Amino acid sequence: MRLTRSKALLLLLAVCLSSMNACSLNGFQKALQKESESVDADENKQKAEAPLADTRQLDSPQRDQISMGKYAYEHLDGQGKIIYDEMLTAILNHKDKIKLSTTDLDLMRRAYAAVCGDYGGLFWVEGYVFTRYTKGDELVSLEFAPKYTMSEEERKIIQVQIDDIVDVWLGGISINDTDYDKAKYVYELLALKTEYVQDATDSQNIISVFIKRQTVCQGYACAVQYLLGQLGVQSVIVSGTALGDAHAWNLICLDGEYYYMDATWGNNGYRNKEGLETSFIDYNYMAMTTEEMLMGHVPDAAIDLPQCNAVMNNYYIKEGTYIEEWDPEWMGAILAEAWMQGRVVTFRFSDEILKKQAFRYFIQEGYIADYCDGITQVNYIEDNLWKEISFCFN
């Protein structure tokens, strides 16, 4: 809705998105209106929200520069970093609204996406409302108002609860451990302690992970960023699609090299011949290259992403189960250990020929019995896409 009035010094336009409900204006509000748009935490969803017109002069925003070194922050230009700092400072200090140091809507959106990418622990805010102040046809200022889901007091109480749980969860790892060990620990932790539930409450933030133990991809990605941050490992939340559906995962930095991690897909399962379903951790998605990530994921353009080619912290290479040459004794020893421990072991092969040779030798010809004493049947998963065979002894 757009109104014009020749004597008005400032026109504030009121527009409601998504539901497109008409806004009734009368008297003073007809002369002073503002254009407000509500942006949810999920960028794919918007809902109408038009606060009352307010002509007070907003204070110039104060900003804390606390995000030096964070991935998304460092990939903004100088002005983008300023807006990022202003938004983050407002959110951390629970400010109702601030006037931003820009009138560029695209810059505002990029800066907010970067804040959300760098900070998975902002559980008390879900999106924002922005208001455009115009003079005639000229956009003169932007107001940013975080959409809080709780009071500052409630936030403090929940933060204490989360801190206590995180302290317990991270009790088995040290900041002095290797980056690989930290990433593996967090990946396994989330697979073992959190259940994927489509309709989980608070699923877009870490409350669902640490307090309710049920979440979806956004909750997993936020928790990865939050936990790795506690351990001194740089990571950022990546949004996009996976197999055609909206999805979130992470970019992580291990020993100075980047990998992709999708903790949501780490919790996998299989059915044995009796139809019983057993869960296991799928390590394919723990430290992926860009090529591997693109086999099932398509990131959006919200954050600039690097080309990830490093493999030294790949799970199979690190754990010695990446097979580049035929060595049945070496593989047999690994199978024997997994059999004794009652766990799943996965071999990834450098080529399809090696995979077929292993399948024929250990499964079709039954030589697995030479290494796994007392075994009477083999539960296995053959994955042609990843060139893998998983032996399920659990």
Side-chain angles (χ1 to χ4, degrees):
M1 183 185 302
R2 186 178 181 88
L3 301 179
T4 59
R5 190 165 176 171
S6 59
K7 294 184 180 180
L9 296 178
L10 185 66
L11 292 185
L12 307 178
L13 308 179
V15 175
C16 295
L17 293 185
S18 187
S19 62
M20 300 303 291
N21 294 329
C23 301
S24 61
L25 303 171
N26 52 64
F28 182 73
Q29 287 181 315
K30 287 185 179 179
L32 296 176
Q33 305 160 52
K34 63 185 177 183
E35 182 176 349
S36 299
E37 297 184 8
S38 175
V39 181
D40 287 347
D42 182 350
E43 291 184 351
N44 296 318
K45 294 185 289 186
Q46 292 182 325
K47 57 185 178 181
E49 185 166 326
L52 294 176
D54 187 349
T55 60
R56 291 176 298 173
Q57 177 64 42
L58 297 172
D59 293 334
S60 297
Q62 295 181 343
R63 62 190 184 95
D64 298 324
Q65 294 175 281
I66 62 173
S67 301
M68 302 289 287
K70 290 202 173 276
Y71 181 88
Y73 180 83
E74 295 297 347
H75 284 76
L76 292 170
D77 61 18
Q79 184 64 16
K81 289 178 181 177
I82 291 173
I83 306 309
Y84 175 118
D85 289 333
E86 291 172 354
M87 289 176 166
L88 180 61
T89 300
I91 291 169
L92 294 179
N93 290 287
H94 227 93
K95 296 292 185 183
D96 289 335
K97 56 187 176 182
I98 60 166
K99 183 176 72 174
L100 297 174
S101 299
T102 188
T103 57
D104 187 330
L105 290 173
D106 287 337
L107 180 60
M108 175 192 69
R109 293 186 179 104
R110 288 198 305 273
Y112 186 76
V115 169
C116 294
D118 282 337
Y119 288 90
L122 304 178
F123 59 83
W124 61 94
V125 62
E126 58 172 16
Y128 61 94
V129 174
F130 70 92
T131 302
R132 290 180 280 195
Y133 289 80
T134 61
K135 183 177 181 180
D137 291 330
E138 180 187 2
L139 178 58
V140 295
S141 67
L142 274 178
E143 174 187 293
F144 171 79
K147 293 171 63 177
Y148 298 115
T149 59
M150 62 189 69
S151 69
E152 191 170 7
E153 242 353 271
E154 291 171 323
R155 164 191 160 189
K156 290 177 181 177
I157 292 171
I158 292 176
Q159 186 66 66
V160 170
Q161 295 174 358
I162 290 173
D163 289 344
D164 289 343
I165 292 167
V166 169
D167 284 345
V168 173
W169 281 26
L170 294 182
I173 194 74
S174 166
I175 198 168
N176 296 319
D177 287 326
T178 67
D179 284 356
Y180 172 80
D181 286 336
K182 294 172 187 176
K184 181 169 176 275
Y185 185 87
V186 167
Y187 190 77
E188 293 175 340
L189 192 69
L190 292 172
L192 294 171
K193 289 187 174 291
T194 308
E195 180 185 8
Y196 183 93
V197 176
Q198 186 66 51
D199 298 322
T201 57
D202 292 304
S203 62
Q204 302 302 298
N205 63 63
I206 59 174
I207 293 175
S208 60
V209 176
F210 299 125
I211 295 178
K212 300 184 178 180
R213 310 289 178 88
Q214 293 182 335
T215 193
V216 296
C217 60
Q218 185 68 35
Y220 278 113
C222 288
V224 166
Q225 195 285 323
Y226 191 79
L227 291 169
L228 288 180
Q230 305 294 310
L231 296 171
V233 174
Q234 184 189 72
S235 66
V236 68
I237 298 163
V238 179
S239 59
T241 60
L243 304 179
D245 294 324
H247 196 60
W249 61 101
N250 298 87
L251 175 74
I252 65 175
C253 186
L254 306 179
D255 299 321
E257 296 180 313
Y258 287 105
Y259 302 81
Y260 290 100
M261 174 186 285
D262 187 348
T264 307
W265 287 9
N267 194 344
N268 212 327
Y270 68 93
R271 292 183 183 275
N272 63 19
K273 292 181 179 179
E274 286 72 41
L276 299 175
E277 186 166 346
T278 303
S279 63
F280 71 98
I281 299 174
D282 188 341
Y283 291 96
N284 286 338
Y285 309 98
M286 194 188 93
M288 295 180 284
T289 64
T290 295
E291 182 180 3
E292 291 169 341
M293 182 268 293
L294 290 175
M295 290 195 301
H297 302 68
V298 180
D300 59 28
I303 299 173
D304 292 334
L305 297 172
Q307 184 71 22
C308 302
N309 299 314
V311 296
M312 290 312 298
N313 281 301
N314 174 278
Y315 171 82
Y316 302 99
I317 291 175
K318 207 74 172 177
E319 300 293 328
T321 58
Y322 181 67
I323 309 302
E324 296 182 277
E325 60 182 27
W326 180 242
D327 189 344
E329 292 304 315
W330 170 259
M331 296 173 64
I334 294 173
L335 288 170
E337 182 180 11
W339 168 249
M340 291 179 62
Q341 296 173 352
R343 60 180 175 84
V344 174
V345 61
T346 300
F347 292 113
R348 177 181 288 182
F349 299 88
S350 59
D351 59 61
E352 189 65 28
I353 294 174
L354 274 173
K355 176 177 157 298
K356 289 180 177 178
Q357 187 174 10
F359 184 85
R360 183 173 60 252
Y361 181 82
F362 288 107
I363 297 174
Q364 292 180 328
E365 296 175 359
Y367 285 104
I368 191 172
D370 290 351
Y371 306 95
C372 302
D373 187 37
I375 193 170
T376 57
Q377 70 176 31
V378 181
N379 290 321
Y380 66 90
I381 302 169
E382 189 176 11
D383 190 325
N384 293 325
L385 178 65
W386 292 92
K387 295 191 287 291
E388 293 173 352
I389 303 173
S390 296
F391 294 84
C392 307
F393 299 133
N394 61 335

